[in-house]
């Protein structure tokens, strides 16, 4: 009988700030490289654990396991919906039997139900978490998926932060590591740019904008000239980063698709944006004191060298985990899969070989 797995599709975009005057750019951005403590330096992972999320509705669980095996991965990403959990998660059982380690999204509701409010009844939410974690212990629990995404969630980001604090308390009591549901990459790029400027390093800010392919609208927002929409997303992002510093999170999460930049969908870049992952990870470590992972990265072209260079850049950045999204139809990002049916595409072979080396 066909066993299907519900993988959480994703996209990265949307987080927050008002105005952008230098003196109000938020306490997050006042952290300088010189202020990075030994604890933060120790948060840099010595080894990046790579994995895959085979997001293919045409494949049953056995097919997804076949693709994962061909890629040589031992880490996979999956999702459990807490509001409908009934004591059994067959796909997790199958993954465990196949020897995989799971980076698991714990979501309150399924994404196909449209945007839903963050849970606010923390007693009920805590009970749901305890019930699930009594049965399954993922390697990392990722709380919700892209909480900044207005297409997935409604309500103030403060409600998510309350939910995340509750989840951290429950998971830590059970010895399970925790990550947030991901920050908006574009908004974090703005934060990194502003951080360089705040430290009097305009030339570095300009170089970063060039390397990361920041669009004119993102640079204008970083210079305090953003649209109301981008400013609101930036404010949300900064609230999240500030809150994460005071939580017992293990990892800060960011979703990452390349090529980057304003014309990414038309780009044919053969390699990952040079040193951008390192700059982003170092900024987030300094701002939060936490290690960094991406439980979703991908490519919008099939160029084999692009995914191989992402592996190199993520290792250089010291990310703890990096899970490649192998699927199609992920919102407006339009990622390219590493596989077709159960066979690897040339970009999949490149990913397999890069991770193995």
């Amino acid at each position: 009988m066909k066993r299907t797995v519900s993988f959480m599709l994703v996209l990265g975009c949307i987080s927050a700030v008002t105005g952008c005057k230098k003196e109000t750019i938020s306490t997050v951005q006042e952290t300088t490289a010189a202020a990075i403590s030994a604890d933060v330096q120790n948060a840099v992972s010595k080894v990046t654990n790579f994995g895959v999320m085979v997001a293919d509705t045409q494949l049953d669980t056995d097919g997804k396991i076949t693709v994962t095996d061909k890629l040589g991965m031992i880490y996979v990403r999956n999702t459990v919906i807490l509001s409908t959990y009934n004591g059994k998660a067959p796909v997790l059982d199958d993954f465990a039997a196949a020897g995989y380690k799971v980076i698991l999204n714990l979501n309150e509701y399924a994404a196909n139900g449209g945007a839903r409010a963050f849970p606010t009844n923390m007693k009920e939410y805590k009970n749901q978490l305890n019930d699930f974690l009594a049965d399954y212990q993922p390697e990392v629990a990722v709380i919700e998926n892209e909480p900044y995404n207005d297409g997935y969630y409604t309500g103030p980001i403060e409600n998510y932060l309350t939910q995340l604090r509750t989840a951290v308390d429950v998971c830590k009591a059970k010895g399970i590591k925790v990550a947030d549901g991901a920050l908006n990459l574009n908004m974090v790029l703005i934060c990194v740019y502003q951080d360089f400027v705040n430290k009097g390093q305009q030339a570095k800010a300009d170089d970063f904008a060039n390397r990361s392919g920041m669009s004119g609208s993102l640079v204008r927002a970083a210079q305090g000239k953003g649209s109301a929409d981008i400013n609101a997303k930036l404010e949300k992002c900064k609230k999240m980063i500030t809150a994460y510093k005071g939580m017992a999170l293990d990892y800060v999460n960011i979703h990452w698709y390349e090529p980057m930049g304003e014309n990414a969908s038309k780009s044919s870049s053969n390699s990952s944006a040079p040193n951008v992952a390192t700059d982003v990870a170092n900024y987030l470590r300094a701002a939060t004191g936490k290690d960094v992972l991406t439980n979703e990265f991908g490519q919008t072209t099939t160029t084999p060298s692009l995914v191989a260079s992402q592996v190199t850049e993520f290792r250089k950045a010291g990310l703890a985990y990096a899970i490649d999204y192998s699927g199609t139809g992920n919102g407006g990002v339009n990622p390219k899969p590493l596989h077709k049916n159960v066979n690897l595409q040339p970009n999949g072979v490149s990913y397999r070989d890069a991770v193995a080396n």
Side-chain angles (χ1 to χ4, degrees), residues 164-342:
L164 182 59
R165 290 187 186 94
T166 301
V168 167
D169 289 344
V170 173
C171 291
K172 300 299 276 188
K174 296 180 179 296
I176 296 170
K177 294 184 177 181
V178 191
D180 67 292
L183 293 165
N184 178 339
L185 176 58
N186 283 338
M187 299 306 107
V188 174
L189 295 180
I190 292 175
C191 290
V192 175
Y193 179 100
Q194 291 180 338
D195 191 49
F196 280 128
V197 172
N198 286 350
K199 294 184 288 192
Q201 299 172 337
Q202 183 65 57
K204 287 188 176 181
D206 294 339
D207 176 60
F208 174 78
N210 181 59
R211 285 184 287 113
S212 65
M214 286 177 69
S215 69
S217 63
L218 295 184
V219 173
R220 287 193 295 274
Q223 295 171 341
K225 306 169 186 175
S227 67
D229 179 60
I230 291 182
N231 285 344
K233 293 172 182 176
L234 185 56
E235 181 181 13
K236 186 185 294 185
C237 181
K238 290 182 177 181
K239 284 181 179 180
M240 294 167 75
I241 292 172
T242 298
Y244 294 170
K245 185 171 185 177
M247 292 187 197
L249 276 175
D250 295 281
Y251 305 106
V252 174
N253 184 15
I254 189 162
H255 288 174
W256 194 285
Y257 282 91
E258 295 191 71
M260 306 171 82
E262 192 168 22
N263 298 312
S265 62
K266 300 177 182 178
S267 175
S268 59
S269 176
N270 294 324
S271 60
S272 180
N275 295 314
V276 171
T278 295
D279 287 338
V280 166
N282 284 342
Y283 165 76
L284 289 175
R285 292 185 189 109
T288 67
K290 310 298 188 294
D291 201 355
V292 181
L293 61 77
T294 173
N295 79 327
E296 181 176 332
F297 77 94
Q299 310 79 41
T300 58
T301 74
T302 58
T303 309
S305 60
L306 174 58
V307 64
S309 66
Q310 283 182 309
V311 170
T312 298
E313 290 295 329
F314 291 157
R315 281 175 170 157
K316 188 191 307 181
L319 300 191
Y321 298 88
I323 309 298
D324 200 320
Y325 179 96
S326 183
T328 59
N330 191 354
V333 175
N334 191 29
K336 305 301 180 186
L338 305 171
H339 71 284
K340 184 175 183 180
N341 298 319
V342 295

